[in-house]
């Protein structure tokens, strides 16, 4: 296929400038590696946009590949498949609308993160991402070559500046576009959700608008990809910083935006503003979307989880039902001699309210069988945490067996406080394919449980109203592995523990700084030690949704073998 243009305009006669543009904003949910599926989604979107009279359809970053493709994008066969999909799509644009779509693109042996303008049956322009992020969850310098500073793309006589995602987090790319005559900034994004991200994005976008005096259209993808969840929340700002367009969060939407040329430049008209959820509501919605897409994109028929009568498993069950519907969620209570009657009744109440299949599978035979097998080796020793952990490991083995037999994925239910301190059992309660609350501290789990009793996401499939009894939320947390056990027997109170952990993990504060904030020195030192020695467990934990500024795995990668200690 002939490429009409890559980074420079062709010698064709410029089109007469138009005064109105109808731009379809495609806030969609691509799947990494599903080139054919993403191509089909783009086709269907274009057909609808054509019927609605759109001139141009804008897709998120690397849409054809899915984002982030990680090292998959280094595979030549994958690069070729993406290129073939773009060429196929371009050939179908003869009757409009034109497309701005992201894809990995190879030129002269170099691989770029690119956006392409497809129109009139061909590829009329290619622009490459300049600023490749290499921090936190991003690792693009590992796989892509940075592009040169770009000039605008001519479209219908309008000069479009098309920086890609990170390109607007500094001033250079937009400044270059403005200086070379851009009239409208369109930004394809693959920007994942995290707490406080909306304010950060808005501040960046406003800064670029102020510096350039140009309107800006921010198009973000939506949906889950392993640990990351993309929230959408696409928007447009006019040159006076007026918010002219706001998409909903965590939902696929395609909307036609109307842009008009005035004497002082282009503006988006209409002020189509969706409500945007934030705070705990956004965290909850992110967990639901992450779990839903992990299950659906990996083609599991449903999920199974142990419902203990505690708050963590209850919240995970509610999230699973909101994500998948009650018919795809199977809850199992696995009681032993230390399981209280209150836990049995609380678990049953949650299952009944959520409308899920609920089974009780006692584990005494399994635990006692393992103890009998170990008795010759353990003769003469005292009972300790080893025997306690057998209960968790039997539960884990039984849940995995149900998963193997029927195909449902095991949801594991440990929170970030437990993951931080190692308060979890390898090959036991850590068993599972995915954890929706992995990046939520225990105090956040409590808040989100109360939240779910009065609110749920607009697209949630679970019931309205109270789904987690107040008695369950209010009772002291316990693993119930021995008589009268409470979490505070082993850990500081969660309000204290989580405050210390947030400083250690998210802020990287020193032990001395945290003590200076008023926390007990011995407690801080102990928590810091627990955090360090539990790294080997975290390496073996299931993936889970990232919601905080720094999650375990993609954001925070510490060595397992590590002798550094403070103090």
């Amino acid at each position: 296929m002939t490429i009409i243009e890559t980074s420079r305009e062709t010698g064709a006669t410029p089109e007469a400038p138009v005064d109105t543009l109808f731009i379809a904003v495609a806030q969609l949910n691509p799947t990494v590696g599903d080139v054919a599926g993403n191509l089909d989604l783009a086709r269907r979107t274009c057909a609808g946009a054509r019927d609605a009279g759109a001139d141009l359809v804008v897709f998120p970053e690397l849409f054809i590949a899915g984002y982030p493709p990680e090292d998959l994008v280094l595979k030549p066969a994958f690069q070729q498949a993406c290129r073939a999909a773009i060429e196929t799509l371009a050939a179908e644009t003869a009757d409009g609308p034109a497309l701005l779509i992201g894809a990995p693109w190879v030129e002269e042996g170099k691989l770029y993160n690119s956006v392409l303008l497809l129109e009139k049956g061909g590829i009329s322009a290619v622009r490459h991402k300049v600023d490749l992020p290499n921090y936190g969850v991003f690792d693009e310098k590992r796989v892509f070559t940075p592009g040169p500073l770009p000039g605008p793309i001519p479209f219908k006589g309008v000069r479009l500046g098309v920086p890609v995602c990170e390109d607007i987090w500094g001033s250079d790319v937009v400044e270059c576009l403005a200086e070379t005559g851009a009239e409208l900034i369109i930004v394809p994004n693959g920007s994942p959700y995290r707490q406080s991200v909306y304010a950060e994005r808005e501040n960046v976008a406003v800064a670029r608008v102020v510096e350039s005096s140009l309107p800006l259209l921010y198009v973000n993808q939506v949906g889950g990809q392993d640990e990351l969840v993309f929230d959408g929340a696409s928007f447009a700002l006019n040159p006076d910083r007026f918010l002219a367009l706001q998409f909903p969060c965590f939902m696929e939407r395609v909307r036609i935006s109307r842009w008009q040329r005035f004497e002082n430049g282009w503006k988006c008209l209409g002020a189509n503003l969706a409500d945007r959820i934030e705070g705990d509501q956004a965290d909850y919605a992110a967990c639901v979307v992450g779990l839903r897409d992990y299950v659906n994109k990996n083609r599991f028929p449903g999920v199974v989880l142990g419902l203990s009568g505690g708050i963590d498993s209850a919240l995970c069950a509610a999230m699973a039902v909101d994500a998948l519907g009650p018919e795809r969620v199977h809850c199992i209570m696995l009681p032993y001699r230390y399981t209280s009657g209150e836990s049995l009744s609380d678990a049953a109440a949650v299952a009944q309210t959520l409308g899920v299949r609920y089974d009780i599978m006692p584990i005494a035979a399994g635990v006692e069988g393992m103890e009998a097998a170990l008795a010759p080796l353990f003769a003469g020793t005292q009972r300790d945490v080893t025997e306690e952990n057998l209960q968790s490991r039997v539960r884990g083995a039984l849940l995995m067996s149900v998963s193997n037999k029927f195909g449902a994925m095991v949801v594991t239910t440990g929170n970030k406080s437990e993951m931080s301190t190692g308060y979890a059992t390898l090959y036991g309660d850590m068993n599972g394919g995915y954890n929706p609350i992995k990046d939520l501290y225990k105090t956040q789990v409590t808040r989100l449980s109360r939240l779910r009793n009065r609110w749920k996401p607009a697209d949630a499939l679970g019931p309205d109203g109270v789904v987690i009894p107040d008695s369950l939320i209010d009772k002291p947390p316990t693993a119930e592995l021995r008589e009268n056990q409470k979490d505070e027997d082993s850990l500081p109170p969660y309000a204290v523990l989580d405050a210390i952990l947030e400083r250690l993990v998210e802020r990287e504060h020193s032990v001395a700084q945290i003590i200076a904030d008023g926390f007990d020195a011995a407690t801080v030192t102990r928590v810091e030690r627990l955090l360090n020695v539990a790294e080997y467990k975290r390496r073996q934990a299931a993936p889970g949704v990232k919601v905080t500024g720094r999650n375990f795995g993609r954001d925070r990668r510490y060595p397992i073998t590590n002798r550094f200690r403070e103090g």
Side-chain angles (χ1 to χ4, degrees), residues 39-94:
L39 172 60
D40 181 64
L41 180 55
R43 279 173 165 157
R44 288 185 279 115
T45 302
C46 290
R50 183 184 304 115
D51 293 342
D55 299 301
L56 177 67
V57 186
V58 182
F59 292 88
E61 179 179 10
L62 286 180
F63 182 82
I64 285 294
Y67 187 82
E70 301 186 60
D71 284 10
L72 174 63
V73 80
L74 297 175
K75 193 176 183 68
F78 182 67
Q79 297 167 8
Q80 293 159 14
C82 291
R83 190 180 193 101
I86 289 292
E87 292 176 347
T88 298
L89 196 57
E92 298 171 1
T93 61

Side-chain angles (χ1 to χ4, degrees), residues 91-221:
E92 298 171 1
T93 61
D95 297 326
L99 315 181
L100 269 175
I101 191 164
W105 202 251
V106 177
E107 286 184 357
E108 298 179 351
K110 296 179 179 179
L111 177 64
Y112 297 96
N113 177 342
S114 302
V115 61
L116 304 99
L117 178 63
L118 314 183
E119 61 173 340
K120 301 176 182 177
I123 302 172
S124 65
V126 182
R127 295 293 185 269
H128 307 309
K129 189 172 183 177
V130 178
D131 289 334
L132 302 177
N134 201 50
Y135 57 87
V137 302
F138 304 107
D139 200 11
E140 290 193 33
K141 288 183 179 179
R142 173 185 174 86
V143 293
F144 292 115
T145 299
L149 285 171
I153 298 172
F155 174 69
K156 289 185 174 291
V158 184
R159 296 184 298 277
L160 304 178
V162 189
V164 181
C165 201
E166 190 75 12
D167 286 344
I168 71 166
W169 287 71
S171 60
D172 290 350
V173 176
V174 174
E175 180 182 359
C176 178
L177 288 165
E179 289 177 351
T180 51
E183 300 172 78
L184 167 61
I185 302 297
I186 300 177
V187 193
N189 290 271
S191 179
Y193 172 76
R194 66 181 184 278
Q195 293 164 352
S196 79
V197 72
Y198 298 136
E200 292 176 35
R201 286 186 197 142
E202 286 178 355
N203 290 339
V204 166
V206 166
R208 301 294 84 80
V209 167
V210 169
E211 292 163 3
S212 66
S213 299
L214 296 175
L216 184 146
L217 174 59
Y218 185 102
V219 183
N220 194 24
Q221 78 175 48

Side-chain angles (χ1 to χ4, degrees), residues 259-398:
W259 295 79
Q260 189 76 37
R261 185 197 300 271
F262 294 90
E263 288 185 4
N264 59 348
W266 285 85
K267 291 183 179 180
C268 181
L269 304 180
N272 190 343
L273 305 180
D275 291 334
R276 190 178 69 189
I277 59 173
E278 300 190 50
D280 286 344
Q281 291 183 349
D283 287 352
Y284 187 92
C287 293
V288 169
V289 169
L291 178 59
R292 176 188 295 142
D293 277 355
Y294 192 86
V295 171
N296 290 340
K297 290 182 178 182
N298 288 291
R299 298 176 179 171
F300 290 104
V303 298
V304 59
L305 69 151
L307 195 60
S308 68
I311 192 172
D312 297 318
S313 63
L315 182 62
C316 286
M319 289 175 171
V321 171
D322 284 345
L324 305 170
E327 69 281 356
R328 297 178 66 191
V329 179
H330 181 188
C331 292
I332 302 177
M333 159 59 85
L334 300 129
Y336 189 53
R337 68 180 67 166
Y338 305 118
T339 303
S340 67
E342 186 180 25
S343 292
L344 286 164
S345 61
D346 284 341
V350 169
Q352 182 177 13
T353 302
L354 292 174
V356 299
R357 176 180 173 182
Y358 178 65
D359 291 302
I360 299 177
M361 190 187 308
I363 66 169
V367 174
E368 291 162 9
M370 291 184 73
E371 288 190 351
L374 290 165
L377 288 178
F378 286 3
T381 65
Q382 298 295 315
R383 293 181 67 87
D384 56 19
V385 70
T386 306
E387 285 77 13
E388 291 181 14
N389 285 341
L390 291 180
Q391 300 167 54
S392 181
R393 292 194 170 113
V394 168
R395 290 182 174 114
L398 291 173

Side-chain angles (χ1 to χ4, degrees), residues 395-406:
R395 290 182 174 114
L398 291 173
L399 290 171
M400 289 304 300
S401 296
V402 173
S403 173
N404 291 161
K405 181 64 70 174
F406 301 108

Side-chain angles (χ1 to χ4, degrees), residues 200-259:
E200 292 176 35
R201 286 186 197 142
E202 286 178 355
N203 290 339
V204 166
V206 166
R208 301 294 84 80
V209 167
V210 169
E211 292 163 3
S212 66
S213 299
L214 296 175
L216 184 146
L217 174 59
Y218 185 102
V219 183
N220 194 24
Q221 78 175 48
V222 70
Q225 170 57 31
D226 296 341
E227 301 100 322
L228 301 182
V229 174
F230 299 87
D231 54 287
S234 304
F235 62 90
L237 293 174
N238 281 332
D240 60 359
R241 295 175 289 173
F242 176 75
L243 182 65
L245 184 69
Q246 175 67 65
F247 273 51
C249 306
F250 304 105
M251 295 182 185
E252 286 191 288
R253 290 290 187 273
V254 179
R255 287 182 178 168
I256 309 295
S257 59
R258 181 185 173 192
W259 295 79

